[in-house]
Amino acid sequence: MAITTRQTEGFTMPELEYLAQNEAITIVPLHRMDRIELVRGTVGPFRPPQKTEVPLWLAIMLKRTNRCRIVAPKWLQYEHLRDLNKREEQPDAMFTRLPTYYLEIAHMLLTFAEDDLVESQGIRRLLQDLREVRQSKTMEGLRMLNSLQLQMDNLSMAEINEIRPLFGHSFDMLRQLDGLAQATETEQQQSQFADQSYAEMDDAFGSRYVH
Amino acid sequence: MTQTVTAPRYAHAEGYTALAFAKSGQFVCTGGSDSLVRVFYASKSERDQEAITLEQHSDNILSLAVSRGKVISGDEEGVVFGFDVGQSSASEPDGLSVQPSGTVLRSTLPARDISISSNERQVAIATDDESIRIVSLLDMAMLHTLIGHRGSVNSVSYSPDSTYLASSGCDGTVRIWDMREGDPACVQIMPKIAYVCEPGNSMEQYKVRWSPDGRTLAIPCADHSIKLIERNNWGVSALLAGRHTNTVCHMAWSSNSKYLASASIDCQVVVWDVAARKAILSHANPNALCQVEWNPQGNMLAFSDCTGAMYIWDDVIAVEQGHAAPFERALADASTSVKDKLMSDLFDDAAAAAPNGASEDGMDEDEDEGDLLDDGDATADAMDDFVVDDDGAGYAERQAPRWTAVAASEVQCFQSGSTPWIGSRRYLAFTMVGSVVSIAQDESHNTIEIEFYDKSAHRDFHFSDSFKFSMAALSESGCLFATTSRELTNDQSLRGAADGDEVSVVSYKGFASWSANSDWTFKFPPKENPRCIATSSHGAAVVTSLGNLRLFTCGGAQRHIETLPNRVVTCVARDDLLLIILEALGTIRSSGGMKQLEYEYVLMSMDGQSRLAAGSCPVTPSSEIVWTGFSEEGHPAVCDSKGMLRVLHKYWAPSHASWIPVLDSRKLSRDRGKREGFWPVAISATQFIVVTCQGKSKYPPFPKPILDELDVDVPLLNADTQVGQQEAKYFASRLFIEQQRGEAERTGSEYPGGGASMLARDELGQDKLLLRLIQLACKSDKTQRAMDLAMMIGLEKSFDAAVKIAVFLKQSSLAERLMRLRETKFASEVEDESDNSDDTHSEVVARQGDIPPPKSRRPAVAATYGRERRVADAADGDDVDSGNDCDSDLGVEALELGKCTRPPLPEVLMRSGANTGRAFADSASRSLVSRPAQPPTTSKPFNPFGVATPSKSMEIKRSDSFFNAADMHSDESVGPSTPSKRQQPSSDDDDSITAAAGMPRKQAKKATTTTSNDSKDRVQPKLTAFAFKKGGKPTNDMDCDLADDS
């Protein structure tokens, strides 16, 4: 699969937000509506006050016209974020599990649906903390980069995006250097292996943007 | 009234005089300011005998307690002495000997009150310092010091089962301590509930007292009234007021807890009938009173005043005038007595602790205690098991009469979805339409806010409420408000606002916009107050305190009035139905404070013209109804305080109505391992809609929380296994379909959601669940079970699928039997069907004259499907043939499956399409409400192919097995309407089913992998689907369909 310049150079935040808008989110509709047939599938019917799941873009659209309340995802609740922060701050802790687009979703919800979040200011603060902690960890993790692989589980899209340009080039460079250094059979195996993991990386964040 | 109060017996010098009866009623002890304790005989004949005088103390006696074998007295110096009571000699059985047994406690401050636990092992002593001392009576060792009160403690009282200890302090605080554990803990603090008294003034030191049945605690309070606190929920259950004009300082319960005597500084002794909440007798004394006591075994009161005099009031309650005796005449059963005595010997300690160890001998002092404690519910946990078991049948017999019927005036009514005041706000109503909130403003008015969930239907509004409405009922077409008298509500804010000449008001606000003035208000005559109200789109209902049920139309026309038994608990309405819940006559309360409420229900039409069903309304033992409502589809539903949700099924069929438990929400929260409560809001066929209350709060918070949905889970057995879950699902689905059909029949309307095709779809879904069960049964070689399940199948087509499953899973004997069963079952049914369908057809024609009869429609349908004319003609010619047609089709299909060939796409489309079409046509005609079939071009709602748009037509190919057809249907039309359902079928299920239906395993496997991939990336399968449609590779397309399902 071809890699676009975007994938090597990274996305802008609005682009990522655009992608994140396809994520599902729970809303409580405020208006009664029939189901809506969308290309991706049908949503609804909307029967207040029963919760229903819609793509984020639709939720925001409805929210802006005051046709729904957005139910904050569990991970975006104050207590949950506080716990996450605590776990994240522990030394040697791995990255905690968060949705791929957690920063984007949180940003959009805080922008458009702040009144639906309890303690939104606290959430903002916690998110900022969380982001900083994870950022420093990512940087720390980049030190472990070798020519074979780099494993950082539960890294979110925005975070991957941040290191993408640097990582891509460095990785290529490392591989080249490695290839020059060793021309043995083992090296061959290794480069295969590296290819493979590269392809995996592609799958992880590349495949969904096939146009 | 002539009262037989004896002349004062000046037992002591002037000053505070304490008083206590022996449990046997044989004697009464007094203690006074001359630091003497005197023991008087109580019975009339012996009353004049010389009292026994005990000269142990050296200061004013302030407190006395008498148990079976002990007298314990406390004085102002803080010295507490114990005395042993025994028979003086064998020759003179009535003679008493009271011997000092030692000091129980030496405190530095006055001992205000003493309470002995029922097992006579512990004594609680309240002193003027801030602690309560618990002393062991066995070795006089200090067991515990209960610290918590701020200020002097002036009274202590053990509950009769010694589970709780109530104490009160001079600052008006009452505390409840749990005494069961090794380390007593304060379980309840009620600040400022009693009045604040001056520490050190003996006359003012009031006492709190437990009723002998253990369910009520009496507390004197500031406005000279007495509050009765209910055990366990610690809420004020009643207020006895209006007689005393000064502080109540002492109270005594009659031994059967029916009467309460109170003594006050205003020189009055008042006897209250607790059930009726009113004073029945009073006696004026020349001097301020100190203490009052009932004789536990007689109709006799003793009281003391501040001059040191003791009075005895004989025959207090006029038993011959219909009053119950204040004590229980327990008939001593000689054999029981002997048995109990034996047992108490055998099990010494344990038997002494357990009430059934108590002797029933009339002369024995044990009797009273035995009575109090025999209640199983409350005390069983405190008892040793083996004693209870040993007791055997005798115990049960003795327990029975201790339940007492409760007077009707105690019926507590409520509105579903209302809460008490939380701060300055309360919900008056909370339904799926919206919520009604009352906000306290000031003395003269509240503000009412009505908020809707569906903002498109109505606009939120609020208004100023000068009536101070305390009830509201909300429907989609209007909101009904009512005030109620303050006697019927515990609402503090109403006090003061409403006065003697209060008049109740009921008011309706219509939401309809076309009518200019749709609001109306009625004033009730004095003494008639609304107890509960309900409204729906068909009108409004008010049940009043006189038992009148008044029905109004939405416009305010008075439509109907009738009188119901005055035990109505709540009522609720939906469309044309009104559900009224009454407390049944069998409602009883145990002596341990446990209520065993029983309910009845009446389901009637909103115009009062007919009653659909009535009967008893069961609840989980020792729970009460906390919510009633209708499900979205129309099932009347009730939720009890133990979290069990029940629906009234088959209410449409006279005398078939039954309550079916559909969800145990308490168990659900247990399974989740969280401490959360569910506050019911509404119910639908698949979901119970609640507000989840975290932690201890029982009511929804402000602002209005987001509702949660709990999936309905019929509590069948083996719910943790797949079989159990499937069975529960099947049961729930059957309930739903039966109800929908019944409701449609009752109201004469179509099956909801699009008539027969919806019914057919639902039936198909139901059969699908059955087939899964059959499959599971076959897999575990439970052929008989599979057979039973097959019997329940409704559609012939599904039955064939069952046969296929049996064949596939190599249950040949089962398959054979099924084939035989099929012949008998459907052969007869086909004939019935032709009759039936004729009937229904004529019915339909009668109702909807413009629609042509279905017979002429049939060929048209078949022709549009592109099916061979032969079949169409056959169907046209004779309905009976249809079974055979299906057979031949199946045969062909089975063949094809066997060969595992893939016929060209269009052919499959035709064949399977026709098949499903027939299945639908059959079921449609079988159902009572028939509906014209439509050609597939009009994709909704009749859609035998499951073909909504041309792009989806590829899915047809899946209908080469029954399951896939069923899947397709349910997913197409059910899926979006209930999103949670769509997520439910696990990939596992789909896999096994497709495999069972003869699909090559490789394909099935592939399908699963695609499914799991899909969860990661949803765009992909769509894209591939597109690609394959162009390329025309059906195999992969199928994968994609399955992926879509999950």
Side-chain angles (χ1 to χ4, degrees):
Chain A
M1 209 177 291
I3 298 168
T4 62
T5 30
R6 275 293 179 217
Q7 273 167 303
T8 51
E9 299 302 326
F11 299 89
T12 60
M13 196 61 187
E15 280 173 325
L16 283 177
E17 278 191 5
Y18 177 73
L19 294 172
Q21 287 189 358
N22 248 352
E23 297 293 301
I25 193 157
T26 312
I27 60 162
V28 179
L30 295 177
H31 282 216
R32 182 174 282 267
M33 272 183 283
D34 260 344
R35 66 182 77 127
I36 307 174
E37 307 256 350
L38 302 172
V39 177
R40 259 180 104 241
T42 47
V43 293
F46 301 100
R47 288 183 300 172
Q50 291 194 25
K51 288 187 252 182
T52 181
E53 209 163 84
V54 297
L56 187 58
W57 61 266
L58 183 63
I60 287 172
M61 213 167 84
L62 291 173
K63 176 75 197 173
R64 285 171 117 170
T65 49
N66 207 8
R67 284 191 163 85
C68 78
R69 282 172 80 183
I70 295 180
V71 182
K74 197 170 182 297
W75 55 267
L76 198 57
Q77 280 159 13
Y78 185 79
E79 288 78 22
H80 192 84
L81 277 177
R82 203 180 45 204
D83 294 349
L84 273 186
N85 254 332
K86 263 184 211 151
R87 241 182 297 159
E88 197 82 58
E89 276 164 13
Q90 273 161 12
D92 304 328
M94 300 295 281
F95 288 99
T96 47
R97 212 176 157 72
L98 276 168
T100 323
Y101 288 108
Y102 85 97
L103 272 176
E104 295 86 339
I105 294 175
H107 179 244
M108 280 186 282
L109 290 188
L110 282 167
T111 316
F112 297 110
E114 195 173 342
D115 52 333
D116 289 337
L117 301 176
V118 188
E119 288 191 66
S120 58
Q121 285 310 317
I123 290 176
R124 255 179 231 277
R125 209 180 58 240
L126 285 174
L127 274 172
Q128 185 67 30
D129 292 352
L130 193 66
R131 189 178 138 81
E132 277 162 14
V133 173
R134 287 172 71 111
Q135 218 162 15
S136 67
K137 263 200 222 173
T138 320
M139 293 305 156
E140 203 64 25
L142 272 181
R143 284 174 209 272
M144 296 187 294
L145 181 71
N146 60 24
S147 60
L148 296 182
Q149 62 160 27
L150 175 67
Q151 188 176 5
M152 282 192 271
D153 290 345
N154 296 331
L155 216 52
S156 83
M157 202 61 194
E159 286 155 353
I160 293 173
N161 195 46
E162 269 175 356
I163 61 166
R164 198 192 297 272
L166 173 72
F167 169 75
H169 291 302
S170 334
F171 199 61
D172 276 346
M173 193 62 76
L174 267 175
R175 269 174 65 217
Q176 279 170 16
L177 291 172
D178 209 44
L180 288 173
Q182 302 177 4
T184 56
E185 200 182 270
T186 46
E187 178 250 30
Q188 219 169 3
Q189 263 181 342
Q190 280 175 346
S191 74
Q192 262 175 12
F193 193 20
D195 270 339
Q196 204 183 337
S197 66
Y198 193 66
E200 273 172 20
M201 288 289 279
D202 252 353
D203 276 345
F205 33 83
S207 59
R208 62 181 78 203
Y209 314 124
V210 183
H211 300 298
Chain B
M1 182 179 167
T2 55
Q3 288 165 352
T4 51
V5 178
T6 57
R9 180 144 186 179
Y10 290 98
H12 302 281
E14 202 163 302
Y16 190 80
T17 310
L19 186 78
F21 258 108
K23 295 287 183 209
S24 61
Q26 194 185 4
F27 61 89
V28 56
C29 297
T30 58
S33 54
D34 51 6
S35 63
L36 296 178
V37 174
R38 286 169 181 265
V39 179
F40 296 89
Y41 289 96
S43 69
K44 278 181 189 167
S45 55
E46 296 168 314
R47 200 171 288 163
D48 296 331
Q49 286 185 24
E50 187 62 31
I52 302 169
T53 307
L54 306 163
E55 304 178 21
Q56 289 289 318
H57 288 280
S58 53
D59 207 340
N60 305 341
I61 311 277
L62 295 179
S63 50
L64 271 174
V66 185
S67 72
R68 288 176 204 127
K70 277 206 185 310
V71 173
I72 295 174
S73 57
D75 65 17
E76 203 154 354
E77 284 182 324
V79 178
V80 180
F81 276 118
F83 302 90
D84 281 331
V85 180
Q87 306 297 341
S88 58
S89 64
S91 60
E92 203 182 351
D94 286 347
L96 277 174
S97 81
V98 183
Q99 298 300 329
S101 65
T103 310
V104 178
L105 181 79
R106 264 177 209 282
S107 157
T108 48
L109 289 166
R112 291 289 172 193
D113 199 12
I114 298 170
S115 180
I116 304 174
S117 72
S118 58
N119 60 12
E120 303 213 355
R121 289 185 176 175
Q122 294 178 359
V123 59
I125 298 159
T127 57
D128 265 1
D129 55 2
E130 296 177 3
S131 57
I132 301 159
R133 314 282 166 76
I134 310 291
V135 179
S136 164
L137 279 180
L138 302 177
D139 54 2
M140 304 304 163
M142 175 84 80
L143 294 175
H144 308 287
T145 306
L146 309 183
I147 296 172
H149 276 288
R150 308 256 184 281
S152 307
V153 184
N154 56 17
S155 73
V156 283
S157 178
Y158 268 108
S159 70
D161 55 359
S162 302
T163 309
Y164 294 112
L165 179 74
S167 65
S168 66
C170 282
D171 57 355
T173 305
V174 173
R175 281 172 180 254
I176 310 288
W177 309 82
D178 189 340
M179 304 301 285
R180 282 172 295 192
E181 307 296 322
D183 205 11
C186 184
V187 290
Q188 184 74 20
I189 302 172
M190 293 175 266
K192 301 269 181 258
I193 190 165
Y195 69 90
V196 181
C197 64
E198 188 189 329
N201 182 347
S202 303
M203 287 305 289
E204 279 192 12
Q205 302 300 322
Y206 60 90
K207 315 287 179 212
V208 297
R209 287 291 179 258
W210 278 98
S211 67
D213 65 6
R215 66 182 162 101
T216 324
L217 178 68
I219 301 174
C221 38
D223 51 355
H224 318 315
S225 61
I226 300 164
K227 276 185 182 143
L228 300 184
I229 302 290
E230 206 170 320
R231 180 191 172 119
N232 294 333
N233 71 7
W234 312 119
V236 178
S237 66
L239 198 66
L240 307 178
R243 290 303 278 265
H244 285 294
T245 56
N246 205 336
T247 308
V248 176
C249 52
H250 200 265
M251 297 162 303
W253 289 87
S254 69
S255 64
N256 60 359
S257 302
K258 281 194 169 68
Y259 304 99
L260 182 73
S262 59
S264 162
I265 305 180
D266 67 1
C267 310
Q268 276 191 91
V269 177
V270 177
V271 179
W272 307 83
D273 184 334
V274 176
R277 313 287 196 242
K278 62 181 185 194
I280 50 172
L281 292 168
S282 70
H283 169 74
N285 196 56
N287 302 302
L289 290 156
C290 296
Q291 294 200 345
V292 60
E293 281 288 338
W294 281 95
N295 183 337
Q297 302 300 323
N299 196 354
M300 182 194 291
L301 266 177
F303 49 94
S304 59
D305 66 14
C306 61
T307 60
M310 189 260 292
Y311 302 81
I312 290 182
W313 181 353
D314 285 310
D315 302 323
V316 185
I317 305 294
V319 177
E320 63 276 8
Q321 285 173 23
H323 287 287
F327 60 96
E328 286 186 36
R329 288 193 194 85
L331 297 169
D333 182 341
S335 62
T336 323
S337 165
V338 169
K339 191 173 145 206
D340 282 349
K341 278 223 157 74
L342 256 178
M343 208 163 61
S344 65
D345 289 340
L346 281 173
F347 299 122
D348 195 24
D349 278 0
N356 34 357
S359 169
E360 287 285 289
D361 191 327
M363 290 301 289
D364 199 299
E365 294 149 5
D366 287 351
E367 184 186 342
D368 187 38
E369 286 295 318
D371 280 355
L372 323 174
L373 289 163
D374 264 357
D375 164 49
D377 287 348
T379 53
D381 48 356
M383 293 188 234
D384 289 338
D385 280 341
F386 71 95
V387 180
V388 178
D389 291 341
D390 280 356
D391 198 39
Y395 183 46
E397 276 171 48
R398 279 158 44 203
Q399 189 182 9
R402 298 209 170 82
W403 295 86
T404 50
V406 169
S409 62
E410 280 188 46
V411 173
Q412 293 271 330
C413 41
F414 69 94
Q415 285 292 119
S416 284
S418 69
T419 67
W421 289 97
I422 306 165
S424 62
R425 287 161 178 261
R426 68 180 285 211
Y427 288 104
L428 293 179
F430 200 128
T431 68
M432 287 296 270
V433 175
S435 62
V436 181
V437 178
S438 176
I439 305 164
Q441 299 289 355
D442 55 33
E443 284 286 300
S444 61
H445 75 286
N446 292 341
T447 303
I448 303 265
E449 264 184 18
I450 303 184
E451 206 177 308
F452 299 98
Y453 280 110
D454 187 354
K455 308 281 187 209
S456 59
H458 309 289
R459 194 178 283 270
D460 295 354
F461 66 96
H462 62 93
F463 62 90
S464 171
D465 154 35
S466 56
F467 292 115
K468 297 211 168 197
F469 291 122
S470 59
M471 286 186 282
L474 186 64
S475 81
E476 54 273 25
S477 52
C479 187
L480 184 69
F481 296 95
T483 64
T484 191
S485 75
R486 65 189 158 122
E487 282 115 56
L488 290 175
T489 173
N490 289 329
D491 188 347
Q492 293 288 336
S493 80
L494 285 176
R495 209 155 286 149
D499 257 328
D501 55 347
E502 55 177 357
V503 173
S504 296
V505 171
V506 56
S507 170
Y508 183 85
K509 291 202 181 297
F511 302 148
S513 50
W514 64 272
S515 160
N517 192 0
S518 53
D519 299 357
W520 44 267
T521 301
F522 283 102
K523 282 199 162 71
F524 277 90
K527 308 232 165 158
E528 182 169 6
N529 304 300
R531 285 175 71 91
C532 51
I533 56 177
T535 181
S536 77
S537 53
H538 281 58
V542 179
V543 179
T544 68
S545 55
L546 296 183
N548 285 336
L549 168 67
R550 294 172 181 274
L551 297 174
F552 306 87
T553 65
C554 285
Q558 302 195 49
R559 182 165 13 182
H560 186 72
I561 178 168
E562 73 175 74
T563 305
L564 293 169
N566 202 357
R567 294 176 268 119
V568 175
V569 177
T570 190
C571 60
V572 66
R574 175 191 183 269
D575 290 349
D576 61 332
L577 290 183
L578 175 67
L579 175 68
I580 300 172
I581 303 284
L582 303 103
E583 209 169 278
L585 281 174
T587 288
I588 42 180
R589 287 161 197 250
S590 81
S591 48
M594 310 288 279
K595 280 181 279 189
Q596 184 159 323
L597 292 160
E598 288 188 18
Y599 295 95
E600 287 168 0
Y601 73 92
V602 176
L603 186 68
M604 59 194 299
S605 64
M606 211 47 196
D607 54 7
Q609 296 309 310
S610 58
R611 284 183 188 224
L612 276 87
S616 68
C617 174
V619 290
T620 314
S622 65
S623 69
E624 49 194 299
I625 291 179
V626 294
W627 177 84
T628 54
F630 283 91
S631 79
E632 211 178 322
E633 292 76 25
H635 262 136
V638 157
C639 184
D640 64 32
S641 55
K642 294 256 163 97
M644 189 59 109
L645 184 69
R646 293 180 178 81
V647 296
L648 181 65
H649 193 50
K650 296 206 171 162
Y651 57 89
W652 57 88
S655 77
H656 280 81
S658 57
W659 288 95
I660 292 179
V662 292
L663 180 69
D664 186 351
S665 63
R666 193 64 75 83
K667 179 173 168 289
L668 198 73
S669 68
R670 264 204 310 275
D671 291 350
R672 288 189 186 179
K674 275 190 202 160
R675 200 189 142 75
E676 53 190 14
F678 299 119
W679 191 77
V681 175
I683 172 184
S684 71
T686 50
Q687 285 170 327
F688 183 36
I689 294 153
V690 295
V691 173
T692 307
C693 306
Q694 300 292 347
K696 282 188 175 176
S697 96
K698 275 160 67 186
Y699 301 107
F702 290 95
K704 197 160 64 172
I706 284 173
L707 303 180
D708 287 314
E709 288 139 9
L710 310 177
D711 284 338
V712 161
D713 183 17
V714 182
L716 292 187
L717 301 178
N718 276 348
D720 47 345
T721 63
Q722 204 189 352
V723 177
Q725 283 159 9
Q726 288 287 337
E727 278 172 343
K729 261 190 216 168
Y730 168 71
F731 189 79
S733 133
R734 209 186 71 199
L735 277 190
F736 170 72
I737 293 177
E738 281 175 2
Q739 193 270 336
Q740 297 264 287
R741 200 186 290 168
E743 178 74 12
E745 210 175 300
R746 187 180 70 79
T747 53
S749 62
E750 261 194 350
Y751 189 84
S757 73
M758 282 302 268
L759 173 62
R761 190 209 64 188
D762 290 343
E763 276 183 338
L764 205 62
Q766 186 180 339
D767 280 353
K768 211 174 96 186
L769 290 169
L770 267 181
L771 289 172
R772 290 216 169 118
L773 276 171
I774 291 175
Q775 192 200 0
L776 288 169
C778 283
K779 272 187 180 167
S780 52
D781 285 332
K782 300 262 193 318
T783 44
Q784 179 60 49
R785 188 185 297 170
M787 192 75 186
D788 299 344
L789 291 163
M791 298 282 273
M792 295 188 234
I793 286 180
L795 301 175
E796 191 174 5
K797 185 79 181 140
S798 324
F799 205 90
D800 294 332
V803 177
K804 273 190 216 164
I805 290 175
V807 171
F808 185 81
L809 291 172
K810 302 196 173 57
Q811 302 285 355
S812 53
S813 61
L814 174 68
E816 219 170 275
R817 276 179 165 276
L818 283 177
M819 287 305 283
R820 237 179 289 152
L821 177 68
R822 180 181 174 286
E823 271 162 32
T824 54
K825 189 172 175 179
F826 290 98
S828 56
E829 209 166 282
V830 166
E831 277 162 32
D832 290 349
E833 188 190 312
S834 59
D835 297 340
N836 269 346
S837 57
D838 279 342
D839 288 349
T840 32
H841 292 162
S842 52
E843 239 180 70
V844 171
V845 173
R847 206 163 42 239
Q848 325 173 319
D850 50 339
I851 297 175
K855 279 201 178 177
S856 59
R857 251 181 285 128
R858 275 251 167 126
V861 172
T864 352
Y865 289 177
R867 188 163 164 73
E868 301 121 299
R869 299 290 313 182
R870 184 185 57 78
V871 181
D873 292 341
D876 188 26
D878 196 353
D879 271 340
V880 186
D881 276 354
S882 60
N884 300 332
D885 280 339
C886 279
D887 269 355
S888 63
D889 278 348
L890 269 170
V892 176
E893 203 178 320
L895 258 176
E896 283 167 6
L897 281 169
K899 281 188 252 162
C900 221
T901 53
R902 259 184 234 127
L905 195 61
E907 253 181 55
V908 183
L909 190 146
M910 291 309 142
R911 182 170 292 115
S912 52
N915 262 342
T916 5
R918 286 309 297 270
F920 271 88
D922 289 349
S923 57
S925 56
R926 199 172 296 143
S927 73
L928 279 165
V929 185
S930 180
R931 192 187 170 289
Q934 288 162 4
T937 39
T938 55
S939 58
K940 276 184 283 181
F942 184 74
N943 190 354
F945 290 89
V947 186
T949 53
S951 70
K952 285 182 189 164
S953 66
M954 306 295 281
E955 289 170 359
I956 298 304
K957 160 198 48 47
R958 286 180 61 217
S959 62
D960 59 355
S961 82
F962 170 82
F963 296 101
N964 294 342
D967 271 340
M968 193 163 60
H969 277 282
S970 53
D971 292 336
E972 290 261 309
S973 28
V974 185
S977 64
T978 51
S980 66
K981 218 178 202 170
R982 189 166 57 162
Q983 288 152 10
Q984 269 169 6
S986 62
S987 59
D988 208 353
D989 278 358
D990 281 349
D991 180 20
S992 52
I993 293 286
T994 32
M999 190 178 172
R1001 283 202 179 270
K1002 209 172 75 188
Q1003 275 184 27
K1005 204 173 174 185
K1006 204 162 184 182
T1008 352
T1009 49
T1010 327
T1011 315
S1012 55
N1013 280 347
D1014 177 59
S1015 58
K1016 269 190 199 161
D1017 192 336
R1018 295 190 174 209
V1019 190
Q1020 209 167 15
K1022 272 289 166 201
L1023 288 169
T1024 45
F1026 227 72
F1028 283 129
K1029 259 163 219 160
K1030 280 181 189 159
K1033 272 190 250 168
T1035 326
N1036 286 324
D1037 199 15
M1038 174 178 293
D1039 294 352
C1040 133
D1041 288 343
L1042 272 173
D1044 277 354
D1045 287 345
S1046 71

